[in-house]
Amino acid sequence: MEKIKRAILFHTKSMQQILAFLLGSSFIYRLHTLDWWKEYRWDAGDYWYGMALSYNLDKFSIYNYNNPLRGYLYPLMAYALHKLAYIGIGAERLNFFIATSILYTICFMVLIPKIIKLMFEIDISIPQRLIYSVICTIMFRGMILYPLTDLPGIMLVCLAIYFFLLLMKDKVKRKWMQVLYAGGIGVGLGGAYYVRPVYLIVWLAFSGMAITYMIRTKKWTLSVALLGMLIVAMPQICINKVHFNTYSPMIQTQSGVGKSLYLRQLEWGIYVQKYESNMDEAAKNIPAAMIYEDSIGTRLLEQNGEIDSYLSYIKFCIRHFADMACIYLKHIFNGLDIVYPDAYIKNVYCNRFMVQFFNYTLIFGGLEGLLFFIKRKMWNGWQVGLVITYCLPIMLVIPTAVETRFFVGAHLVLYLFAVITLINREWWRKVWKCKWKAAGVYVMFLCVCFLMNSQTFNCYGIPLW
C-alpha cells in the first residue's frame, strides 16, 4: 500500500512539473507570436542575419566565419535554426521561437532552482518556479524576443556550475557519468566564453577552483573538463589560424588597429552612465543610441585626456578615486534599473512607473531574501567561491558603458530569492513584528531608487511617469 501511495505521489508531482513547464514555455512562445512582425536590428540583426548566415546555407564551412570581436558559437547556433528551415523543417523565426521557449523555460524552472537547492538546500516549489519563470519572461522579454547572447551565456555558465555541484556533493555515483559531467563543465565554460567574451574571467576563475578541488580531494575526474574546453575551442582555433594567423583559442578582440574592445569600454564607462538602444521613430529628439552622459566623468576626461592603456586607466582611477567610486556606484544602480524591458525601446515616453516599481520591489525582496537565508545557512569556501565566480562577469562590466542586459545574472538571483522570500511565512512573521520599521525601510528604498533614476534620465528630459 505504501508503494502505491509513493507511486501516486510521484506521478502527481511529475504531472504538476510537466504542466508547469508547458505553461512556462507556452507563455514565452505566446510572447514571441505577439511580436512576430518585429525586425531584428543592431546586435540582434548582426547575429541573426549577418554572422549566422556567413557560415553559408548552401555549403557550410566553419572557416566562413571571421568576426574578430564575437565568438563563433552563438552565430553557429543561430545558423542551425536557419539551416533547419533551409532543409524544410519549420521557418527560421518559428524555430527560434520554439528553441528559446524550451531552453529559457529549462533555465528558469529547472536549472537555476536546482543550483539553489544544491548550494543552499532550499526547496523551491513548482508554483514558485512557475511564478519565477513568468516574472523573468516579462522583465527580460527583450533578451528573449531577440537573438542576443546574454541569456545563452548565463545558461552555459549555470550548466557548468550545476555539473560541478553534482560532482562536488557526490550526487553522481557511476564513473562514466562523472566523466561525462566533468566534460560538460568544460563545454559549459568554454561555450559561455565563445558566446560572450566577458565570460573569459569565469573560465579562469573556475579553472582555479577545479584545480584546487582536485588537489585537495585527490579526485582527478574534473581534469576531463579540459577536454570539454578543448572540444569547444577547436573551431575558434581553426578560425583564428585561417583569418588571424594564430593558433590562440582566444577571441581576437585586439586584432586590427587601435585599442582593445575592453579598454574602449572602460573609457566609455567614465562618461557614460548607461546606454540603451532606441527604435522609437516618433521621438525625434531622442537618438537611436541613447547615451546617458555623466557630467563628472565627461569633465574628468576633458581635463586629463583619453585613456590609452590599462596602466593609464589605473592611474586615472587612483587620481580621482572618490569621483570614480561615485560614477561606478551609479553604474551598479543603472545596470539593475530596468526601465524598458525591451532590448530596443519602442516607446521612449511610455509610462514606466509600474515596471520600475515592480523591479525595485523584486530587488528589495531579493536582498531581504539573501540576508534572511544567509543568516540561517552555514557558508563554506566552495559556496563563496562559486558565488564570486558567477558574479565576476557582472563585476567586470560595472566600469564599462553599462546596459541593463549585462546585469541579468544579478536579476536572476535577486528575483528568485524575492519569489522565495515573499511566499515565506517565517519571513512575513518576522516582518510583521516590526511592520512599521520594515515599511519605512521599503518606502525609503523606493524613494532612493526613483530619485537616482530621475538623475539619470534628466539628460533627455524623460519624466518618471
Side-chain angles (χ1 to χ4, degrees):
M1 191 66 182
E2 189 64 29
K3 288 183 178 179
I4 294 173
K5 286 182 180 179
R6 279 201 297 266
I8 293 172
L9 184 63
F10 175 79
H11 178 73
T12 303
K13 189 173 181 180
S14 298
M15 289 302 295
Q16 288 174 346
Q17 290 174 337
I18 292 169
L19 180 60
F21 185 88
L22 290 174
L23 287 172
S25 55
S26 298
F27 189 76
I28 295 176
Y29 183 81
R30 179 56 179 161
L31 193 67
H32 273 301
T33 57
L34 291 173
D35 278 6
W36 188 293
W37 56 270
K38 185 176 288 185
E39 180 187 356
Y40 295 151
R41 299 189 184 184
W42 297 302
D43 282 357
D46 289 342
Y47 280 118
W48 186 251
Y49 303 113
M51 287 180 262
L53 295 178
S54 70
Y55 285 109
N56 195 333
L57 290 172
D58 289 314
K59 190 176 181 181
F60 170 82
S61 173
I62 197 72
Y63 299 112
N64 291 336
Y65 187 79
N66 62 358
N67 190 299
L69 300 180
R70 313 284 187 179
Y72 78 93
L73 187 55
Y74 189 73
L76 184 61
M77 294 175 180
Y79 167 80
L81 300 178
H82 281 283
K83 187 66 175 180
L84 286 173
Y86 186 73
I87 62 176
I89 302 175
E92 292 97 338
R93 297 285 288 271
L94 181 63
N95 292 338
F96 177 69
F97 297 169
I98 295 171
T100 51
S101 298
I102 294 171
L103 289 175
Y104 294 150
T105 306
I106 290 172
C107 180
F108 300 148
M109 295 189 65
V110 181
L111 187 57
I112 294 176
K114 281 185 177 293
I115 290 172
I116 295 297
K117 184 175 181 179
L118 283 170
M119 285 190 69
F120 306 110
E121 298 178 2
I122 300 171
D123 280 316
I124 303 169
S125 67
I126 296 171
Q128 285 176 324
R129 295 184 187 201
L130 183 57
I131 292 168
Y132 174 64
S133 180
V134 170
I135 289 172
C136 290
T137 302
I138 293 170
M139 299 303 290
F140 311 145
R141 64 173 181 254
M143 284 169 276
I144 292 172
L145 292 174
Y146 288 95
L148 295 169
T149 58
D150 306 273
L151 285 173
I154 288 174
M155 281 186 65
L156 287 164
V157 169
C158 287
L159 194 66
I161 291 173
Y162 177 61
F163 288 156
F164 181 73
L165 285 168
L166 286 175
L167 294 176
M168 191 179 70
K169 291 180 174 288
D170 292 322
K171 298 290 185 181
V172 184
K173 301 302 180 184
R174 296 181 180 179
K175 191 68 177 178
W176 68 272
M177 287 293 289
Q178 292 175 2
V179 171
L180 189 64
Y181 283 3
I185 293 172
V187 170
L189 292 176
Y193 170 62
Y194 293 119
V195 165
R196 277 186 63 76
V198 72
Y199 286 109
L200 174 62
I201 190 72
V202 176
W203 187 355
L204 298 174
F206 219 115
S207 298
M209 285 188 63
I211 291 169
T212 304
Y213 175 79
M214 287 188 291
I215 291 172
R216 286 186 179 181
T217 61
K218 307 298 181 185
K219 297 178 181 178
W220 305 103
T221 309
L222 276 179
S223 59
V224 180
L226 292 173
L227 178 60
M229 284 186 180
L230 181 61
I231 291 170
V232 180
M234 281 306 298
Q236 190 69 49
I237 293 171
C238 295
I239 290 167
N240 289 346
K241 177 56 184 171
V242 169
H243 296 288
F244 308 109
N245 197 31
T246 175
Y247 283 106
S248 169
M250 300 292 104
I251 298 168
Q252 302 299 297
T253 55
Q254 186 66 60
S255 65
V257 180
K259 304 174 187 177
S260 72
L261 177 63
Y262 189 66
L263 185 59
R264 280 180 283 166
Q265 283 277 355
L266 289 176
E267 186 175 21
W268 296 335
I270 295 173
Y271 68 87
V272 177
Q273 290 189 59
K274 186 175 186 173
Y275 175 86
E276 290 184 300
S277 300
N278 170 38
M279 57 185 285
D280 184 4
E281 296 176 358
K284 303 294 184 182
N285 59 322
I286 307 294
M290 291 179 67
I291 297 174
Y292 301 86
E293 287 193 15
D294 190 294
S295 57
I296 297 173
T298 303
R299 175 174 53 80
L300 292 176
L301 279 176
E302 288 173 352
Q303 292 173 354
N304 294 269
E306 67 174 17
I307 306 297
D308 54 12
S309 68
Y310 289 107
L311 181 60
S312 67
Y313 167 74
I314 294 169
K315 290 179 178 178
F316 183 92
C317 290
I318 293 172
R319 196 180 309 124
H320 306 286
F321 181 78
D323 288 327
M324 294 302 292
C326 291
I327 288 171
Y328 291 156
L329 282 172
K330 285 187 283 186
H331 281 206
I332 294 171
F333 171 77
N334 286 320
L336 292 170
D337 186 21
I338 296 178
V339 178
Y340 305 102
D342 292 297
Y344 306 118
I345 304 166
K346 293 184 291 185
N347 184 358
V348 171
Y349 293 106
C350 65
N351 191 316
R352 346 179 242 117
F353 175 77
M354 288 309 299
V355 172
Q356 292 174 264
F357 174 77
F358 192 46
N359 181 48
Y360 299 152
T361 301
L362 287 170
I363 290 173
F364 181 82
L367 293 172
E368 274 288 311
L370 282 171
L371 292 172
F372 183 71
F373 285 107
I374 285 171
K375 290 176 182 178
R376 286 155 178 76
K377 299 291 177 181
M378 294 297 293
W379 283 69
N380 59 41
W382 295 116
Q383 288 173 318
V384 173
L386 282 172
V387 170
I388 292 174
T389 299
Y390 176 81
C391 293
L392 281 175
I394 303 167
M395 295 163 65
L396 203 62
V397 299
I398 288 171
T400 67
V402 299
E403 299 180 50
T404 51
R405 62 191 183 93
F406 297 163
F407 284 69
V408 66
H411 287 108
L412 284 168
V413 175
L414 290 170
Y415 285 3
L416 182 57
F417 275 94
V419 170
I420 295 168
T421 303
L422 297 176
I423 313 179
N424 184 286
R425 292 180 181 178
E426 186 183 347
W427 182 80
W428 279 108
R429 281 197 294 266
K430 175 194 167 187
V431 168
W432 187 252
K433 289 178 183 178
C434 51
K435 51 184 177 293
W436 297 115
K437 179 183 176 182
V441 171
Y442 171 62
V443 171
M444 187 180 298
F445 178 83
L446 288 180
C447 290
V448 169
C449 288
F450 278 112
L451 179 63
M452 292 185 70
N453 171 272
S454 67
Q455 291 297 312
T456 301
F457 279 76
N458 271 346
C459 65
Y460 284 116
I462 299 174
L464 273 176
W465 54 77

